[in-house]
Amino acid sequence: MMLADFKERLARFVTERWRLMLAVWITATVVLFATAPHWKDIAYDGDFEYLPERMTTVASARILDEAFPGDRARSQIVIVLGREATPLDKIDLMVGDDLLRRLHHRFGEVCWQRAIELGYTGGAIDQAPEPAQRWLRRALESLDHCIAVDQRFYERFADMVPDLPPTLTQPRMAIAYFDRSKLLQQIGDDEQQADNDARDALVLVPDIETLATPIAQRDLSAWDSLLDLLSWDDAVLGSLLTKPSARLAVMQLSSELAATENIHTVESVGEILDQVRSYSLARIPEREGSAEQLELEMTGSAAIGGETLIASRDAIRYTESITVIMILLILTLVYRAPLLVAVPMVSIGVAVVVSTSMVATLTHWSIEGVVPWLDIRVFTTSRIFIVVILFGAGTDYCLFLISRLREEAALAEWPVACRRALRGVTPALLGSALTTVFGLGTLWFAQFGKYHYTGPIIAICLLVGLVVCLTLAPALLRALGPRVFWPNVVTPDETTTRSLLSVAPDTDSKTSRRSSGLWEWIAIVLTRRPLTAFLLGIAVLAVPGWYGWIHEDSVTYNLSSQLDTEAPSRRGYRLLSDHFKIGEINPVTILMVRPEDEPREKLKKQLKSLSDLLYAQPGVVAVRTPNDPLGDFPPDREMGLLSSDAWKRRALQQHRVAQNYFFSNNTRFQDRLARLDVIIEGDPFALKTQTLVSQIGQTLNEIARDPSSDWAGSSVYLAGTTPSIIDLRTVTIADNQRIKIAVVLAVLLVLIAVIRRLGLCLYLIFTVLLSYYATLGLTVLFFRGIYADQYVGLDWKLPLFLFVILVAVGQDYNVYLVTRIVEEQRKSGWLSALRHAVSRTGGIITACGMVMAATFFSMTASAWMPGLLHLLGIESNAAIGLRGIIELGFALGLGVLIDTFYVRTILVPSFVALMGRWKPKPKAIDR
C-alpha cells in the first residue's frame, strides 16, 4: 500500500506541476555547474596510496616521510639510450651528450628556482637561507656539468650542424651560459667567469637578453617534483648506469608513481626526447652492415604511472564521446522521432552534470574539511563509470517510461496518459535502480580505498539519475505533449504508427494481448517446452561459466602491462631489461627500527652482519648498505686496502646519494633507524619475486623476535614496488570475498522487497552469477586470443567490478520482466500473463540492453578509435590504450548482452513457466 500511495502521489505531483519540475532542474543544473570545482582538480589517482593504514608498506611510507623529510624519492623516470646488442660508439654517445646537456640545464633551472622559492634573493651561498643553500650549490653544479657536456657534444657534432638559425638550446646551450652568468653574478662569485659566460652567450645568440625569460618567471611547474638527476657520466655512480650497449639517466622524483602531476612531467620529458631525436639522433649515419637502430626511450615507475594517467584521460574523452554518439544512434533507430531522442539525451545530460558537479563539490568539501565528518574521494577513472552507467541506466529508464507512455497515450488523454505511465513504471524503475545502488553501495565495506570510495560515488550519481528520470523526463514529456512522437501519431482515437521494437497498443480488450510476432513466438515456444529450454539454457552457459570459475584469480598486478605494448614506457622497459637487471631500479627498501638508540658505528657493524645474512637468501642479487652504497661488494668479493675497489667504495660512501640515505637526521630516528636496499632477481611484478620478498620479510621478523639477535625487538618494514604489490594483492583478495557476499545479499533483499517471491528471487541471483562466470570465461578466452604471448592475465580490478556491476545492473531486465508478469497476473492466469509480459516487454528490454551494452563497449574506444580516425584522415595524439578499461568495457558489454538476449529471453521465462506448471493451482502473484 505504501508503494502504491507513493507512486500515485509522485505521478500526480510531477504531471500536474511539471513547470515547477523544469524550473527546479534548470536552476540546479546551472548553479551546480557554475560553482563545482573541475573534476581533474579534485580527482586522485594511484593504487598503493589507498591501502589500509595497517599494511606494512603504508607504515613504511609514513616512517620514510618522517625520517627523511623533503629528500625522499617516491618515483623515478629512467631514460635509456641503447642498441639491441652492438656496443655504443662515440657517435652514439654524442646523442647521449645532447640529451644530458638539456637535462642538466633543466635540473639547474629547477634547483635555482627552488632556492628562490625558499627565500633566496641574492648574495653569497653561505648567507642564503639554510634550506636554499644546497639547492644553489646543486644549481651551479648542474650548470657547470651542462656546459662541460655541451662543449663535448659540439666537438663531435660540429660537422653535422644543420643550416638553421641558432636557438637558446641549438646548436649550443646558449641559455646555460646565460644562466650561469646570471647565477654567478647573483652569488657574487667568480666575476671573470660570469663575464666570459655572458660574452659567450651573446656570441651564440646575439639577442639572448630579450629571448631569455628571467629564472623566477619561467614555467617549470612540470618539473617541480625533480629531486636529483643521475647519469652515466657521473664520476662515481656512472659504472652502475653503464653497459656496453646501453646508458641510463635517472630522474628521481618526489611525486608518487601515479600522481597527477606526473602527466605534465612525462609529457615534458617526452618533449626533450623528441628534441634530441629530431636534432642529433636523426643526423647520425647508419652503421655499415648493421640494421640495429639507436633507441632513446623512457621508462621507470613515474613514466609508467604518468602514461597510465594519460591513457585514463584519453579513455575518458573517447568514452564520453562514443557513449553519446552510440546513444543517439540507437535512440534514432528505435524511435525515429527527434523529440523522443531529445528527451532522454537532455534528461541524462542533466543527470550527468548535476551528479558529477554535486560529487565534485562534496569531495572538495571533504578535502578542505568544510564538513568534518564527510569522507569522499573521486578518481580519474571514476568519471568513466559514472558517465557510462548513467547514460546506460538512465536511457533505459527513459525508454521504459516512453514505451509505457506510448501504450497509455493510445488509451487516454495526454495528462492522464503521462500520469498513468509514470505510475506504472515507478515500481520497476525503483527496483531496477535500487538493486544497482545497493550493489554498488556495498563497496563501501571494502578496505582498499579505490573500491571503498568509487562504488558509493557511482551509486549516488545513479540515484540522481533515477530522480531525474522520475521527475524531469516525465515533466518534459508532459510539456511537449503528443507531438513528442512526431512524425508518428499516437492518440486515443487513431491507430498509431509503430517505431522499431515498439508494440502497438489496442484499446479493445479482446485484442489487448496482441504483440509483435517475434516475441509472441518466443513466448509461446518457451511456455510450451519450458523444461527443455531451461536445461539447455543452463548447459550452454555452464561451459564458459566453468572456464571463468577456474580462471577468476588469474589476474595480473603488473602496472606496466596495463599499457599498450607500443607505449613509450613499455618500449623503454624492454630496452632497459635487455641490458640491466630490472631489480636495480626497483629495489626493496628495508627499514629496521630499533626500540632504543644505538651508537652509529655499532649500527653499521650490525648492518654488515645483516647484509651477509640477506645475501644468503634466495633471489638476492645485491644489498646496498652504508658501507657498500651500490651493492657492488658481496661478502665473497676480495678487496685489498689500497686496491681500486677500496678507493671506489670510499668515494661512493662520500657521494651525495649515499649521504643521509641510510641513516636519518631526524631526532626521533637518528640512532634507531637503519635503511638498506635489496635487489631481487626477476621482474618486481612477478609472483615468484613476490614470494621471495615475502620470505625475506618473514626471515627478518624472525630475527626481530629472537631475543639473542642484535635486532631483538626491532620493527621491520618493507617498502618498494614488490612489497606494495604484495599488500595490494592481500587486501584486494580479501575485499573480493567480502564484497561478493555483500553484493549478493543486498541485491537479493531488494529483489525480495520488489518481487516478494523468495524462490524466484534466489533463481534470479543464480542466473546473474552464472552470467558473470560465463562472461568472465569468454572474456579470458577473447583476450588470450587477442594478446597471444603478450597475455599475462586480466587486470586485477576486473573480476570485482564486473561482479558488482553485472550482478546489480544485470537484474534490471529481470526486474522489468518479472514486475510486468506480476502486473499481468492480476488480470489473467500465469500462462497468459507470462506470454503477454514476454511479448510486451521483449522489444523495449532488447532496446534497453542494446543501449547499456553500447555504453559499456564505448569504454573500449581507446583501443580502436585512434586507428579509425587515422583511416578517416583525422590525426589524434592519443595513442596509448589502457588495457584495464578496455578489458572491463568489453566484459561488461558482453555480460549485458548475455543478460539481455539469453538470461532474460530464455532462462527467466522458462523458470517462471516451470513454476506455474508445478503449482497445484494457478495462483496470482501477490501484489
Side-chain angles (χ1 to χ4, degrees):
M1 292 297 295
M2 291 180 60
L3 179 60
D5 184 59
F6 169 75
K7 66 182 184 181
E8 180 63 34
R9 288 176 178 271
L10 176 67
R12 286 189 177 277
F13 184 84
V14 172
T15 55
E16 291 176 2
R17 303 188 182 183
W18 56 270
R19 293 182 180 86
L20 175 62
M21 289 290 99
L22 295 178
V24 167
W25 280 111
I26 291 173
T27 303
T29 304
V30 172
V31 171
L32 284 171
F33 181 77
T35 59
H38 291 292
W39 192 271
K40 63 181 179 63
D41 294 333
I42 47 91
Y44 286 76
D45 270 293
D47 293 322
F48 304 144
E49 296 84 351
Y50 303 101
L51 291 168
E53 294 290 324
R54 60 182 173 81
M55 304 310 292
T56 301
T57 51
V58 177
S60 301
R62 288 198 305 268
I63 291 175
L64 285 168
D65 286 338
E66 185 177 354
F68 304 94
D71 294 328
R72 185 164 78 89
R74 296 171 176 84
S75 63
Q76 57 190 358
I77 293 177
V78 180
I79 302 175
V80 191
L81 176 75
R83 293 183 179 271
E84 184 177 344
T86 57
L88 301 181
D89 58 19
K90 291 183 179 180
I91 299 298
D92 296 334
L93 294 178
M94 176 198 70
V95 176
D97 286 341
D98 190 15
L99 169 70
L100 291 183
R101 66 188 187 130
R102 297 172 193 265
L103 288 178
H104 280 292
H105 175 256
R106 182 53 46 87
F107 185 49
E109 289 179 299
V110 170
C111 293
W112 189 1
Q113 198 173 85
R114 190 169 291 153
I116 294 173
E117 292 170 354
L118 291 172
Y120 177 69
T121 56
I125 294 178
D126 292 340
Q127 297 174 0
E130 186 175 350
Q133 290 181 15
R134 70 188 183 98
W135 293 113
L136 285 170
R137 293 190 180 94
R138 294 300 307 282
L140 193 56
E141 289 173 7
S142 294
L143 291 175
D144 290 344
H145 199 157
C146 168
I147 291 173
V149 175
D150 178 68
Q151 293 171 349
R152 187 172 66 208
F153 165 77
Y154 191 72
E155 289 174 2
R156 298 172 178 172
F157 190 68
D159 295 335
M160 306 179 195
V161 174
D163 187 16
L164 296 171
T167 68
L168 294 178
T169 59
Q170 295 172 176
R172 302 294 300 275
M173 291 293 295
I175 187 65
Y177 292 88
F178 178 83
D179 285 346
R180 189 170 70 173
S181 168
K182 294 295 183 183
L183 180 57
L184 289 172
Q185 291 173 11
Q186 195 170 30
I187 64 178
D189 186 22
D190 202 342
E191 294 182 3
Q192 183 177 355
Q193 183 64 61
D195 292 340
N196 291 339
D197 285 344
R199 186 165 48 254
D200 290 342
L202 287 171
V203 171
L204 295 172
V205 180
D207 51 352
I208 194 169
E209 289 283 356
T210 57
L211 292 176
T213 305
I215 185 66
Q217 298 175 20
R218 296 178 192 176
D219 182 12
L220 300 174
S221 57
W223 302 83
D224 282 345
S225 60
L226 182 58
L227 293 176
D228 203 352
L229 174 63
L230 309 174
S231 60
W232 66 83
D233 67 342
D234 186 287
V236 178
L237 295 178
S239 61
L240 180 68
L241 306 175
T242 299
K243 297 292 181 184
S245 300
R247 301 290 190 275
L248 300 183
V250 181
M251 297 169 52
Q252 302 281 5
L253 307 180
S254 62
S255 57
E256 298 290 350
L257 66 91
T260 52
E261 59 261 35
N262 284 351
I263 293 177
H264 305 297
T265 306
V266 169
E267 290 176 337
S268 297
V269 173
E271 290 174 3
I272 287 183
L273 297 187
D274 287 339
Q275 292 168 6
V276 174
R277 292 186 188 110
S278 63
Y279 190 70
S280 58
L281 181 57
R283 290 177 171 81
I284 65 174
E286 294 185 4
R287 291 187 179 183
E288 295 184 5
S290 175
E292 289 184 18
Q293 298 293 321
L294 181 64
E295 299 178 70
L296 180 63
E297 303 289 353
M298 68 171 159
T299 187
S301 56
I304 292 171
E307 287 188 357
T308 301
L309 294 175
I310 293 171
S312 299
R313 180 189 64 190
D314 295 338
I316 292 172
R317 184 171 66 247
Y318 282 130
T319 297
E320 291 181 350
S321 302
I322 298 301
T323 296
V324 172
I325 293 172
M326 284 187 169
I327 296 295
L328 279 172
L329 291 175
I330 293 175
L331 290 178
T332 301
L333 178 67
V334 170
Y335 288 129
R336 292 174 290 191
L339 292 178
L340 283 182
V341 174
V343 168
M345 295 302 298
V346 170
S347 300
I348 306 308
V350 167
V352 170
V353 172
V354 170
S355 62
T356 54
S357 299
M358 182 179 70
V359 166
T361 301
L362 291 175
T363 303
H364 178 69
W365 289 353
S366 175
I367 295 171
E368 298 297 326
V370 176
V371 182
W373 52 266
L374 190 63
D375 183 23
I376 295 179
R377 296 290 185 272
V378 297
F379 304 93
T380 301
T381 50
S382 300
R383 187 175 176 88
I384 294 179
F385 294 108
I386 291 172
V387 170
V388 166
I389 292 179
L390 266 184
F391 265 95
T395 306
D396 283 358
Y397 302 157
C398 289
L399 282 171
F400 221 69
L401 174 64
I402 292 170
S403 174
R404 191 59 176 264
L405 178 60
R406 184 186 293 275
E407 295 182 28
E408 298 296 344
L411 304 173
E413 295 299 325
W414 190 254
V416 177
C418 289
R419 186 176 69 252
R420 289 179 180 175
L422 181 56
R423 182 181 61 197
V425 301
T426 295
L429 296 189
L430 285 174
S432 170
L434 290 178
T435 56
T436 308
V437 168
F438 276 82
L440 290 167
T442 58
L443 285 171
W444 180 262
F445 298 106
Q447 295 187 25
F448 178 52
K450 268 196 170 179
Y451 291 163
H452 175 76
Y453 292 114
T454 299
I457 287 299
I458 301 173
I460 291 171
C461 293
L462 188 58
L463 278 177
V464 173
L466 173 65
V467 174
V468 166
C469 293
L470 290 176
T471 55
L472 177 60
L476 287 171
L477 292 169
R478 174 67 178 83
L480 292 171
R483 60 181 173 273
V484 75
F485 293 109
W486 181 88
N488 298 324
V489 178
V490 178
T491 66
D493 303 320
E494 301 178 28
T495 302
T496 63
T497 304
R498 298 188 189 185
S499 67
L500 187 64
L501 300 178
S502 68
V503 177
D506 292 298
T507 58
D508 186 357
S509 61
K510 293 182 180 180
T511 59
S512 63
R513 296 288 193 258
R514 286 168 48 190
S515 61
S516 61
L518 172 63
W519 294 106
E520 183 175 6
W521 176 80
I522 291 174
I524 291 173
V525 170
L526 289 174
T527 52
R528 284 179 178 174
R529 299 180 179 85
L531 184 59
T532 302
F534 174 78
L535 293 177
L536 287 177
I538 296 294
V540 169
L541 281 188
V543 176
W546 171 81
Y547 192 78
W549 173 276
I550 64 175
H551 286 89
E552 187 176 18
D553 296 330
S554 300
V555 296
T556 177
Y557 286 79
N558 190 333
L559 301 182
S560 65
S561 68
Q562 283 286 295
L563 299 170
D564 185 80
T565 55
E566 290 306 310
S569 62
R570 291 289 299 276
R571 296 197 303 265
Y573 188 87
R574 290 194 296 271
L575 183 60
L576 175 68
S577 61
D578 287 342
H579 302 286
F580 295 87
K581 291 183 177 67
I582 295 298
E584 292 180 358
I585 64 166
N586 279 289
V588 174
T589 296
I590 296 174
L591 302 177
M592 303 294 291
V593 182
R594 299 184 60 85
E596 298 176 354
D597 290 349
E598 196 77 38
R600 181 67 57 86
E601 291 304 316
K602 187 174 181 180
L603 268 179
K604 287 184 178 181
K605 292 179 180 179
Q606 292 172 346
L607 276 180
K608 175 65 172 63
S609 61
L610 185 63
S611 170
D612 293 344
L613 175 67
L614 288 171
Y615 268 110
Q617 301 303 306
V620 173
V621 175
V623 181
R624 297 172 181 169
T625 65
N627 292 325
D628 185 10
L630 296 185
D632 284 344
F633 304 100
D636 58 353
R637 182 170 175 177
E638 297 291 336
M639 181 173 58
L641 182 63
L642 300 178
S643 67
S644 60
D645 285 345
W647 286 104
K648 179 181 179 181
R649 172 183 277 191
R650 282 191 285 272
L652 285 171
Q653 292 171 355
Q654 299 303 315
H655 195 276
R656 69 172 188 276
V657 172
Q659 297 296 311
N660 302 322
Y661 182 85
F662 297 100
F663 298 107
S664 171
N665 290 324
N666 182 288
T667 53
R668 178 186 171 193
F669 296 104
Q670 189 168 16
D671 295 318
R672 293 177 53 220
L673 182 147
R675 175 181 180 178
L676 55 149
D677 288 348
V678 178
I679 298 172
I680 307 296
E681 186 176 8
D683 188 336
F685 297 103
L687 190 59
K688 180 181 178 182
T689 307
Q690 295 172 37
T691 302
L692 295 173
V693 172
S694 296
Q695 291 173 351
I696 290 173
Q698 293 172 5
T699 300
L700 292 174
N701 279 295
E702 290 173 1
I703 292 173
R705 289 192 295 266
D706 183 358
S708 63
S709 167
D710 291 337
W711 299 95
S714 298
S715 299
V716 180
Y717 301 95
L718 271 64
T721 300
T722 305
S724 296
I725 292 292
I726 294 171
D727 283 354
L728 182 63
R729 189 183 191 96
T730 302
V731 170
T732 53
I733 288 175
D735 277 346
N736 287 357
Q737 298 168 347
R738 183 186 308 110
I739 297 304
K740 284 179 180 179
I741 296 173
V743 170
V744 169
L745 291 177
V747 173
L748 178 61
L749 290 175
V750 175
L751 289 177
I752 292 174
V754 174
I755 299 173
R756 302 182 186 179
R757 284 293 179 268
L758 179 60
L760 180 56
C761 293
L762 289 172
Y763 176 72
L764 294 181
I765 292 292
F766 165 75
T767 61
V768 292
L769 291 178
L770 180 61
S771 173
Y772 160 73
Y773 282 109
T775 300
L776 186 61
L778 293 172
T779 302
V780 170
L781 286 171
F782 178 81
F783 284 104
R784 191 185 293 275
I786 292 293
Y787 295 152
D789 59 346
Q790 296 289 329
Y791 180 79
V792 293
L794 297 177
D795 178 52
W796 58 273
K797 296 183 288 293
L798 185 145
L800 184 62
F801 276 119
L802 177 63
F803 184 90
V804 172
I805 295 175
L806 207 56
V807 169
V809 175
Q811 292 293 358
D812 284 6
Y813 310 126
N814 294 336
V815 171
Y816 290 156
L817 174 60
V818 173
T819 53
R820 188 58 182 261
I821 295 173
V822 170
E823 184 178 344
E824 295 297 332
Q825 279 196 335
R826 301 193 197 105
K827 307 173 186 176
S828 59
W830 70 268
L831 181 61
S832 178
L834 176 59
R835 288 178 175 176
H836 186 60
V838 170
S839 60
R840 280 282 181 173
T841 61
I844 191 60
I845 291 180
T846 299
C848 290
M850 290 168 58
V851 167
M852 184 65 79
T855 59
F856 284 137
F857 279 128
S858 68
M859 295 169 65
T860 69
S862 59
W864 50 267
M865 193 64 184
L868 179 61
L869 292 175
H870 179 73
L871 291 176
L872 297 175
I874 304 173
E875 294 302 325
S876 169
N877 58 3
I880 305 174
L882 196 60
R883 285 189 172 183
I885 295 295
I886 294 168
E887 291 167 0
L888 182 58
F890 175 86
L892 287 170
L894 177 62
V896 169
L897 290 180
I898 291 174
D899 277 333
T900 303
F901 290 99
Y902 197 85
V903 174
R904 182 266 313 182
T905 305
I906 298 175
L907 297 185
V908 174
S910 63
F911 181 79
V912 173
L914 288 174
M915 288 179 64
R917 280 192 176 187
W918 292 340
K919 285 184 178 181
K921 294 180 180 180
K923 182 180 179 181
I925 299 175
D926 293 339
R927 186 175 176 179

